[in-house]
Each structure stands twice: as C-alpha cells, then as structure tokens.
Amino acid sequence: MPREKIDLPHHVEYLSILDKDGNVDQDLEPDIPDDQLRKLHRYMLLGRRFDERMLRLQRQGRIGTFAPIKGQEASQIGPVAALREDDWMVPAFREAGAMIWRGQSMEGILLLYGGFNQAGEMPEGINNLPVAVPVGTQVLHAVGLGYGMKYRGDDRVAMTFFGDGATSEGDFHEGLNFAGVFQTPVVFVCQNNHWAISIPRSHQTRSETLAQKALAYGMPGIQVDGNDILATYVAATEAVERARSGGGPTLIECVTYRRSVHTTADDPTRYRTDEEVAEWEERDPITRFQKYLKDKGLLSDQELEELEEEIDTEIRDAVEKTEKRMEELAGEAMVMFEHMYAELPPYLREQRDELARELAAKEGSNG
Amino acid sequence: MAKMTMVQALNHALHQQMRKDDSVVVLGEDVGVDGGVFRVTDGLIDEFGKERVIDTPLAESAIVGTSIGMAIYGLKPVGEIQFSGFSYLAFHQLESHAARMRWRSQGGYHVPMVLRMPYAGGVRALEHHSESREAYYAHTPGLKMVIPSGPRTARALLVSAIQDPDPVIFFEPKSVYRAFREEVPEEEESMPLGQAQVVREGGDITLIAYGAMLRPTLEAAQRLEDEDGVQAEVIDLLTISPLDTDTFAESVRKTGRAVVVHEAPRSFGPGAEVVSRLVEKSFWYLEAPIQRVTGFDIIIPMFAYEQVYLPGVERILRGARETLNA
C-alpha cells in the first residue's frame, strides 16, 4: 500500500502591474485604448467622490446607512470593465462604483439608501441584479444566470461580487462547487478588503490566499493587487474571455482594503489601528493610476481639476434631483403593496384597502 | 383517461410541461438518472437530456439559489428538495431572495420557479422525513404555498404552479404518493392557485382539510352521515397561501360549525389562520366553538408512534362531534 504525494497540477498566480507608486511593469502592461484608460479613471474618481458625498449626506441624516467603497474602486471597476453590456453583474452591497459603470444612476443609488422601494427599478436594458444584503447569498444567483446562458447557448458571462467574509458562508462553497461541476460561465470576484466588520481576514480562514479555494472546485484562481486597476482589469478580462469561450468559471481575489467604515453604523477604531489604515492610504488605487496616466501623457493637473469639477457638478445634480424626488415620493407609501406578486391576491387587496382608508382618514383629520 | 397514482400524475405533468415549453428545467438531488427517490421525475432525463434534468450536487441552497438565477434569466426551474425536512438549508434563499426579487426590483425581475418537496408523515421514515412545516412558507410574503391531496389535484396544481409567474412551494403528501389511483385526463388540466374546492356538500358542519388529511376527513364525513345522520361539507384547501377565504367562510355561514384538520403542529399552524378568518368573516353565523384537529406542538415522534400522533378518522370524528354537541 503506497503512501505517497498526490501531485495536483495546480497553482495560484499573483498579478500586479502598477507598483505602489504607480510605476508600470512594462512587460505586463496591457494594451488598453486611451479612451478606455480615461474612462476607468473617471469612474474610479466618480466612485470615490460620490462615496464621500454619500457619507456626508448620511451624517447629515439625509440618507440612511450604506456601505462605503473608499479604497476599493479598482477592485470593482476593473472587473466590470471587462464585461459586455449584455453580460450580467450580480453585486453584494459594496459595489456602487461597479453599478454606476454598469449603467445604474447615482439617483437610483441615493434613492435606495434614502429608503425608498422605488429605487429597485433597474434602468431599461441593464443586466444588473439589485443589491443583495445577506452575505454571500447572491453568488448562487450568478451561477443560475450562468446556467441559463449556457443552456440557451448565449455567449454571455455572469460576474458576481462578494467580500472576504462571504468566503466563510455556505453559499460561497455551494456556488463555486456548482459552477465547477456544470462549467457555467461565471466570474467570481472576491473583494478581499481585509475586514468583515470587526473580523480580520485571518479569522475567516486559515488559507493563505482566498484565491486558492478555487483549486478545490476545479477552476482557476488568481490573486491580484486589488488597488491596481490594470491588474484587476487584466485578470477579469482573461476570466471573462475564458468563460465566454466555454472554459468555465474563475475565482479572482482582489486584495484591497476597506479604508472607511463597514457601514455608516460602524466604528472601526474599536478593532483596527490608524497606522494600518494609513499604510493602505499610501497604496491608493486612484493616486497610483493617476501617476500612470500622467506618465503616459493622458492626464494633466489641469485636466484633473476640470474632471473633478465636472464630477462634482454631476454628483450635486444627482443629489438635488434625488432629494426632490424623495419629497415627491414621500406621500406614496401605498407602493409598499406593489410587486409582491404578479397579481395581488384578494387578502392583500383587502389589507391594501385597509391602509388606504387609514391614510385617507389621517389626511382628512390633518386637512 | 388513465388511472394514476399521485407519483404518476406528477410525472405526467412534468413530461407534458417540458414537452410544451423548453424553458422548463428540472433540478435536484437524484432527479435525473435515478428518477428521484420517489420516482416523480422518472424517465425525464431520457426524454429531455441532462441539461434539462439536472442531477445537482448535494446542496439544497444551491438548488434554490441557482433556480432563482435561472428563473431571472427566463427559465422555469422546477426544483426538488428530497424531503421538506431538508429545505431549511435553503430557507434563506426562499425568504431572502425568491420571495423578494419581484418586489426588490419593482417588477423588473421575477422568479417563476417551483420548489417541489415531499412532506408529512405516514411512511415510517427516519427523523427529518415526516414533518409538516407549511406554515414557514405560508408565512413568507412573496411565496405561494400549494398542497395537493390526490393524483388529479396534484397534476392540475403542478401545471398551474409551473405556469405561475411567482415562486411556488409545492408540498407533496408522501403518504398519498402511491396510496390510491384516480382518473387523470390525458389532455392538460390546470386548477387556479388560491382556490379551494368543496369536495363534499353538506349543511350541518364544515370540515376543512388539505394534503394527506383530506382522505381521513372524507371518511369521517361519511361516518358522520352513517352513524349520526349528519351532513358534513368537506373543503380541500389545496392552496395554503394565498388562502381562499371565501369558500370556507361561505360554507360556515351555511353550516354554523367548523373543524380544521392538519398534520402540522397546532400553534401558529394554518388552522389558526383559518379560524381567525372565520371569526372575522363568519362570526355571527357560528353556532359552536371551532375545533382544531391537528398535530400536537411537539416534534413528530419516531415512526413507531407516528400513527398515534397523526390525526386520523377517530380524532376528526371526535372533534366534529364536540362541535356538533356544543
């Protein structure tokens, strides 16, 4: 009876193209058209500034709680930039930057965190699923979408996002396992931001990397510098092409850092040091990319200033428009009965009428 | 018309719907090559192939979670959970997503999936193979909860469930699977979800049941006629949610007396909802307190004692007579 080593022909790659100061590794530099590079930068910047604006709005009580993306712009915008419009994106709840890249409006996102049912409406023709709050559960929806694509013979891809914490959930396992067995065209993007509220990455798993978990499911896994948009874009492009051409799923671990709070209800000083946050500030994805663009002659200080102004105006307009809309919608509480079923059953019609009468009576007594 | 068992009738419905609509796919543990542990999906894989009759890994949450994705993509997945006692491993996918996707996306996406599972006792099975937890699903806004009682209703309701645009939980009373045969028409037959059936007319008392409890309830009704000269009306609920209030509320306005029968535990069970609605809609017509003849609020015992636990003809009769003599 032998007792010998099973030789598994597997490996996990690590990819980084821009160093921490934004200097490019010329051997690895991808050939991305200038317009696309500018677009990547614009959306990262928009994501950052929109995030900062939302945090202020929340602190002022103008919207409810949300999950900021600060520091994670490259690990979500790089991957979705590899998708086609008719592909599908299945987010968790910290992907505002990716959602905007994929055609969702800032107004829609503000309305969601403003607490309105109507925010769920997706703009026509956008293949994004809504925000999924229970951690890791959305992974399976992407796998089901992928199964549908394969079944129908569509050359599409489903990309789903989740965090390091989600890799401890059962649905992460079930999803990757199912995708591996059925070779569904799915790209699993893990934004390893090091913290699941107060639990550090090291407490989620004893695995050295999250990417290596892919090997057990029979799919390629790659770890990338999640604060390097060239690396996230390249890794995702390879994974999307593989999935589209029938090569099955991939797990991408984007190593990044949540520089802000988990959600606005969280106080990170209870569990992590300022020094750690400062270290990651030095590896800011936007600053690094700006250095690269400047080196390539694609961005000047003046252009940056103009772009920032343009973005701030867009955000201001979106906030103004949304606040107006929230005022208009404030009196439309009856929508809570909408879209429960294709057709409202009799007992729900009764309950809806009960609320309508209550609201009418209130209106009467107020008037 | 052919005489079929419930298993055959369900199998017939699946064959027919899959022939008719290539968006219908079946998935679950052992549903393909094995034809399902109760053989409900027998033969489907031979006719429709393994892409449409999917033998999944052993993962309940994945069966439901991927069904949600497939349904959003335009398929009509019919998932099978091998026993309802294992459906809790997928409960969060039903409660958090299947039930909410239409609402969350404001009608942009919907989840036309069916999740079939055998439920309830009576087949001398292991732990986790005999309980009745329909209340969990009936309590979840956004889901529909259907329980047929015989071969013909099973076939017709499964057809409706597959064609329904919303997620339907479809409980199959496993003790009825092969208990008897009924005429089932070859041509497609459906029944509207959310509609109960008066299966026996009578003016003295209303007996309300569903699933495996329908047969003993009908037997009790016959004994009431034979032994007591009492005419019992029997209502088969068929859909637990949305519950068809009108049919039983009207019946009780006529009879003034009611008994609700189910295997599920009594407290917070479907019977509690039926009684509440009767109190709301038919209170002034009641001649006597309403009785609940149900499972006890305990874990269904190991099978040596399950027949003692399960409501049967005698217990239903006792409940009915108590109401009649009140």
Side-chain angles (χ1 to χ4, degrees):
Chain A
M1 288 296 116
R3 180 172 185 148
E4 58 192 22
K5 208 164 165 185
I6 300 174
D7 189 22
L8 299 171
H10 290 310
H11 65 277
V12 174
E13 266 186 344
Y14 176 79
L15 180 66
S16 160
I17 300 173
L18 291 176
D19 74 10
K20 111 178 189 346
D21 301 315
N23 301 306
V24 70
D25 179 330
Q26 278 167 353
D27 292 341
L28 294 174
E29 186 182 6
D31 186 18
I32 302 173
D34 292 351
D35 281 355
Q36 180 80 341
L37 289 172
R38 286 198 185 93
K39 192 177 165 192
L40 288 169
H41 173 244
R42 187 184 203 286
Y43 276 82
M44 283 213 286
L45 202 57
L46 176 69
R48 173 70 57 89
R49 293 180 92 87
F50 181 52
D51 199 61
E52 290 170 347
R53 183 78 177 105
M54 284 213 291
L55 195 58
R56 289 197 297 278
L57 289 170
Q58 193 278 335
R59 297 303 188 220
Q60 293 160 358
R62 290 154 76 184
I63 60 169
T65 195
F66 76 101
I69 66 166
K70 188 178 187 173
Q72 299 181 216
E73 295 83 357
S75 75
Q76 56 187 265
I77 290 169
V80 283
L83 292 176
R84 265 185 353 213
E85 225 172 79
D86 63 338
D87 291 328
W88 284 71
M89 198 270 281
V90 181
F93 51 76
R94 201 185 300 285
E95 280 82 28
M99 285 156 63
I100 295 169
W101 176 281
R102 291 276 303 165
Q104 287 182 246
S105 66
M106 288 189 274
E107 289 89 335
I109 294 168
L110 286 164
L111 202 60
L112 177 66
Y113 296 117
F116 285 87
N117 282 22
Q118 294 90 336
E121 215 171 299
M122 200 63 68
E124 191 64 29
I126 306 257
N127 292 340
N128 297 352
L129 288 197
V131 162
V133 176
V135 170
T137 54
Q138 73 284 0
V139 167
L140 287 165
H141 308 157
V143 179
L145 286 166
Y147 194 93
M149 293 164 187
K150 197 175 169 184
Y151 177 71
R152 287 297 185 202
D154 298 336
D155 71 335
R156 294 177 177 168
V157 173
M159 176 180 283
T160 183
F161 286 90
F162 48 90
D164 43 312
T167 66
S168 302
E169 290 278 6
D171 281 0
F172 166 82
H173 164 68
E174 292 195 22
L176 270 75
N177 190 49
F178 197 105
V181 169
F182 295 104
Q183 291 292 287
T184 53
V186 181
V187 178
F188 298 96
V189 182
C190 177
Q191 296 199 72
N192 168 10
N193 68 12
H194 283 87
W195 289 96
I197 305 190
S198 68
I199 306 303
R201 153 64 186 82
S202 58
H203 276 222
Q204 293 296 343
T205 172
R206 184 79 175 168
S207 292
E208 197 175 323
T209 69
L210 299 175
Q212 77 199 56
K213 290 175 183 278
L215 306 183
Y217 303 108
M219 71 176 77
I222 180 168
Q223 189 187 61
V224 302
D225 180 343
N227 284 11
D228 170 4
I229 194 152
L230 295 183
T232 60
Y233 179 80
V234 165
T237 302
E238 287 171 4
V240 166
E241 279 170 7
R242 179 162 44 241
R244 204 185 298 293
S245 60
T250 304
L251 170 63
I252 301 173
E253 176 190 359
C254 298
V255 181
T256 183
Y257 192 80
R258 163 167 60 78
R259 299 230 307 265
S260 187
V261 289
H262 159 67
T263 67
T264 48
D266 170 43
D267 171 15
T269 61
R270 291 176 67 90
Y271 53 81
R272 69 184 189 190
T273 63
D274 291 345
E275 291 74 43
E276 186 183 297
V277 181
E279 259 172 53
W280 281 90
E281 265 166 28
E282 283 171 27
R283 300 167 63 178
D284 183 78
I286 299 179
T287 317
R288 285 161 76 183
F289 194 49
Q290 284 171 344
K291 161 84 164 60
Y292 172 70
L293 293 179
K294 282 177 183 170
D295 288 350
K296 278 182 89 81
L298 294 176
L299 184 71
S300 67
D301 287 344
Q302 197 195 330
E303 279 168 326
L304 179 58
E305 216 170 286
E306 283 168 12
L307 181 62
E308 283 174 340
E309 216 162 287
E310 196 182 300
I311 284 172
D312 287 347
T313 308
E314 271 175 46
I315 295 171
R316 195 162 47 242
D317 288 352
V319 172
E320 270 173 31
K321 245 167 90 182
T322 311
E323 292 205 309
K324 216 173 127 210
R325 180 121 194 265
M326 291 200 281
E327 265 172 52
E328 289 164 9
L329 296 178
E332 294 190 15
M334 289 306 296
V335 300
M336 72 175 75
F337 278 94
E338 284 175 17
H339 306 297
M340 281 307 306
Y341 296 95
E343 204 183 316
L344 212 57
Y347 73 100
L348 280 184
R349 287 202 294 272
E350 266 180 40
Q351 293 178 19
R352 182 193 58 191
D353 296 348
E354 182 186 319
L355 179 65
R357 280 194 304 276
E358 183 188 304
L359 292 178
K362 216 167 163 188
E363 186 101 334
S365 68
N366 288 347
Chain B
M1 276 214 221
K3 282 213 157 214
M4 294 185 193
T5 63
M6 185 184 273
V7 166
Q8 290 167 331
L10 291 164
N11 185 269
H12 187 268
L14 288 168
H15 267 103
Q16 215 167 34
Q17 293 307 299
M18 290 184 83
R19 268 178 215 141
K20 194 172 131 183
D21 180 356
D22 77 352
S23 62
V24 179
V25 299
V26 162
L27 69 159
E29 295 154 14
D30 310 301
V31 297
V33 176
D34 196 40
V37 294
F38 287 101
R39 305 289 178 261
V40 172
T41 55
D42 194 28
L44 293 175
I45 196 166
D46 303 324
E47 184 170 345
F48 304 106
K50 61 180 171 46
E51 280 74 31
R52 286 187 74 188
V53 185
I54 311 161
D55 268 325
T56 65
L58 210 166
E60 287 76 13
S61 185
I63 292 166
V64 178
T66 58
S67 289
I68 293 167
M70 291 180 204
I72 289 170
Y73 200 72
L75 304 187
K76 291 179 181 159
V78 182
E80 176 179 304
I81 299 292
Q82 208 154 69
F83 287 88
S84 67
F86 306 131
S87 67
Y88 322 125
L89 286 105
F91 190 81
H92 65 293
Q93 285 292 345
L94 291 167
E95 155 64 42
S96 306
H97 296 301
R100 292 166 184 250
M101 207 51 94
R102 176 188 290 283
W103 171 88
R104 186 181 296 144
S105 66
Q106 293 287 288
Y109 302 122
H110 65 289
V111 181
M113 64 175 278
V114 180
L115 192 64
R116 297 180 33 250
M117 47 187 123
Y119 90 111
V123 301
R124 299 173 63 79
L126 286 171
E127 194 192 347
H128 306 293
H129 291 67
S130 302
E131 65 250 58
S132 301
R133 296 283 183 271
E134 54 272 29
Y136 290 163
Y137 299 107
H139 192 68
T140 300
L143 298 179
K144 294 182 180 179
M145 171 79 243
V146 173
I147 308 184
S149 54
R152 189 158 182 176
T153 56
R155 199 284 283 264
L157 287 169
L158 184 57
V159 168
S160 298
I162 291 171
Q163 294 173 357
D164 197 88
D166 287 307
V168 179
I169 310 301
F170 196 88
F171 270 19
E172 298 165 2
K174 64 176 91 65
S175 65
V176 180
Y177 265 156
R178 291 188 168 80
F180 59 94
R181 288 168 190 270
E182 267 177 4
E183 299 279 356
V184 176
E186 176 58 33
E187 63 276 11
E188 182 177 303
E189 182 179 60
S190 61
M191 290 177 84
L193 303 186
Q195 199 167 302
Q197 247 185 358
V198 178
V199 290
R200 185 185 203 276
E201 286 190 29
D204 300 328
I205 183 170
T206 303
L207 309 179
I208 303 162
Y210 57 89
M213 286 296 106
L214 186 69
R215 300 273 291 180
T217 303
L218 279 167
E219 208 181 314
Q222 188 58 47
R223 295 233 338 239
L224 284 173
E225 182 179 333
D226 296 346
E227 296 168 21
D228 305 46
V230 164
Q231 293 301 326
E233 182 141 298
V234 178
I235 291 174
D236 184 1
L237 288 178
L238 298 169
T239 304
I240 307 306
S241 176
L243 192 58
D244 174 9
T245 314
D246 288 349
T247 300
F248 62 75
E250 253 168 54
S251 173
V252 173
R253 272 179 230 143
K254 179 176 69 179
T255 62
R257 296 173 198 274
V259 178
V260 197
V261 186
H262 57 64
E263 288 184 50
R266 185 170 307 160
S267 299
F268 310 98
E273 185 59 36
V274 170
V275 173
S276 295
R277 292 192 193 196
L278 282 174
V279 168
E280 287 164 0
K281 307 281 181 187
S282 308
F283 181 79
W284 301 108
Y285 299 84
L286 287 175
E287 305 278 350
I290 305 166
Q291 288 287 324
R292 282 185 285 172
V293 178
T294 66
F296 302 107
D297 291 339
I298 55 176
I299 294 158
I300 185 166
M302 300 301 280
F303 70 75
Y305 309 120
E306 76 173 332
Q307 288 305 331
V308 179
Y309 168 92
L310 291 170
V313 179
E314 293 303 328
R315 207 177 290 159
I316 298 167
L317 270 177
R318 208 160 45 244
R321 284 173 180 149
E322 218 164 292
T323 305
L324 287 162
N325 298 329

